[in-house]
Amino acid sequence: MAQVQIMSVIGSAVPAALRASGLLACWYLVRDGEPISGPLTSLPAAQALSQQIGAGAFRA
């Protein structure tokens, strides 16, 4: 089973809607290089979701 990792993106890689609200960075959960979550607005939120996935509480 592939490990879930947290990927951060900054600047122009951040979705336009988030940039428009003033965010210059966001985070995604990825597995095998493929995003399994939408953009998350904080690292703590990404970490919490990653733990939930690791515990089997979330299915992508």
Side-chain angles (χ1 to χ4, degrees):
M1 181 173 198
Q3 182 178 359
V4 173
Q5 297 177 313
I6 298 172
M7 175 183 76
S8 62
V9 297
I10 59 170
S12 62
V14 175
L18 295 180
R19 285 195 323 269
S21 64
L23 290 173
L24 300 177
C26 68
W27 294 262
Y28 291 86
L29 298 183
V30 296
R31 182 182 295 137
D32 293 331
E34 297 292 326
I36 61 169
S37 75
L40 300 161
T41 58
S42 73
L43 179 56
Q47 291 168 328
L49 184 55
S50 177
Q51 288 179 342
Q52 288 177 358
I53 290 172
F58 176 86
R59 298 283 180 229

